[in-house]
Amino acid sequence: MLNVPIKPILLHKSDIPPAGSEWIHQLKFDGHRCLLSYAQDNGVKLFTRHQNECTRQYPELQTIKLSAANVVLDGEMVVIDAQGKPCFESVMERFQASKETSIRRLSCNLPAAFIAFDILYLNGNGVTHLPLNERLQLLSDIAGPSDYLTVIDSYDDGDALFQAVVKLGLEGIVSKRKDSIYQLDTRSYSWLKIKNYQHEIVEIAGIRKGEFAWSITKGGKYIGTVEFVPPAARQAFHQISKQLIRKEDREWVYLDPLIRCKVRFQCWTKKGFMRSPSFVEFVY
């Protein structure tokens, strides 16, 4: 498990935080999933959940020191913006950098941090079989203060944490059973993600001819594409759209934007586009 890519546990979706003393709740940081391997004699190696190594993109993490001979941690790689919030676009800029000069420049201008939320391996032994509350105690014991590694906080009241997330405009929360073991390459019902989606009314301004998508606008301004539309809604709109065609090219059919729908999305990008919008319902 040490210094090799692995497939981490995955989460199921939930609309509300689960209730009960058997659950703990944590902030869901807006970054990319990352597995961190550490050895005192070999430094840090980093892997994505898709098993791609990304060590060289984050040279600042080589300064991390842990109170263990070797360890594997699960967590999220984030970049915090000037408002103190995780910025997905910034961490993607870090992740996608390939030239050494760009990596070094970005490590100074957009420093990254690893938010650790679980421990899988410690001092030569796997610990995935231990209950979550014991793993979190091990994690707390080996991780000291660092600019580039933080252990996530846990809370007992999921509803209160989610309301705070909504107020602050953060991504969401994760709820986990205290007694849950860590199941590699499994989507576990013991780990739930509750996202703080935003909602907006938009106009449908076009249909992509190849891989399906709707082009959407707000007040005449292009704000993104919607790929997640149920088949019934696609079919219903397809019949109406024939009467709205303005022009078309090889890739798109352009429409009079007279039909509106509600979409949900994660956030607005820096350039004013919706991130990951999906169809909710038509608005008449």
Side-chain angles (χ1 to χ4, degrees):
M1 184 176 287
L2 186 68
N3 292 330
V4 296
I6 59 176
K7 294 183 179 180
I9 191 172
L10 299 176
L11 294 75
H12 274 281
K13 294 180 180 179
S14 178
D15 293 328
I16 59 173
S21 60
E22 68 271 24
W23 294 88
I24 61 167
H25 311 274
Q26 302 167 337
L27 285 175
K28 189 177 190 305
F29 282 82
D30 201 1
H32 74 78
R33 189 78 172 271
C34 193
L35 285 301
L36 182 151
S37 281
Y38 168 86
Q40 286 182 342
D41 58 352
N42 198 35
V44 168
K45 288 188 180 296
L46 303 167
F47 301 91
T48 71
R49 76 177 182 92
H50 298 295
Q51 301 181 284
N52 299 312
E53 186 170 357
C54 56
T55 305
R56 67 185 294 266
Q57 281 95 323
Y58 305 103
E60 63 268 44
L61 268 72
Q62 295 301 327
T63 63
I64 290 173
K65 300 296 180 185
L66 300 173
S67 300
N70 46 63
V71 65
V72 175
L73 304 179
D74 190 2
E76 195 85 0
M77 193 68 70
V78 302
V79 172
I80 305 299
D81 65 17
Q83 287 71 47
K85 297 181 180 180
C87 178
F88 182 76
E89 291 173 84
S90 294
V91 79
M92 283 297 98
E93 186 176 358
R94 291 296 313 272
F95 177 72
Q96 293 166 0
S98 58
K99 294 182 179 179
E100 197 64 33
T101 53
S102 297
I103 290 171
R104 293 292 173 183
R105 173 179 56 81
L106 290 170
S107 68
C108 295
N109 297 340
L110 296 173
F114 182 83
I115 310 298
F117 52 68
D118 215 325
I119 182 168
L120 316 186
Y121 184 88
L122 177 63
N123 294 333
N125 298 300
V127 297
T128 57
H129 64 285
L130 297 176
L132 175 63
N133 55 354
E134 293 186 27
R135 299 198 309 273
L136 290 177
Q137 184 59 58
L138 292 175
L139 176 58
S140 178
D141 290 343
I142 62 100
S146 170
D147 290 336
Y148 303 113
L149 187 147
T150 300
V151 176
I152 200 164
D153 292 321
S154 298
Y155 302 88
D156 292 327
D157 191 334
D159 285 328
L161 181 62
F162 189 74
Q163 291 307 314
V165 161
V166 172
K167 185 176 181 180
L168 294 171
L170 300 177
E171 187 187 14
I173 70 170
V174 173
S175 299
K176 304 173 182 177
R177 289 187 63 94
K178 296 177 182 178
D179 61 356
S180 61
I181 63 171
Y182 191 102
Q183 299 171 282
L184 293 169
D185 195 20
T186 299
R187 193 171 294 278
S188 173
Y189 282 102
S190 294
W191 286 34
L192 304 175
K193 56 184 176 183
I194 304 95
K195 287 196 171 185
N196 174 31
Y197 288 108
Q198 299 185 45
H199 294 81
E200 192 68 72
I201 305 299
V202 301
E203 305 103 18
I204 305 171
I207 305 174
R208 191 160 61 194
K209 291 182 175 180
E211 186 177 359
F212 173 82
W214 287 342
S215 172
I216 54 173
T217 59
K218 180 71 175 177
K221 179 179 180 295
Y222 171 76
I223 54 173
T225 58
V226 178
E227 298 178 353
F228 306 104
V229 181
R234 292 192 196 185
Q235 184 61 31
F237 182 70
H238 178 72
Q239 299 302 319
I240 299 173
S241 68
K242 295 177 182 179
Q243 307 171 45
L244 304 175
I245 296 174
R246 299 170 56 190
K247 62 178 182 177
E248 58 184 287
D249 57 27
R250 293 180 61 183
E251 295 185 6
W252 288 89
V253 176
Y254 299 97
L255 309 173
D256 285 322
L258 301 178
I259 305 299
R260 301 187 302 160
C261 67
K262 178 187 286 188
V263 297
R264 70 176 191 178
F265 60 103
Q266 291 189 225
C267 62
W268 293 99
T269 70
K270 295 177 183 178
K271 294 183 178 180
F273 302 122
M274 287 183 173
R275 180 177 158 208
S276 304
S278 61
F279 174 87
V280 175
E281 62 184 3
F282 289 111
V283 176
Y284 300 101

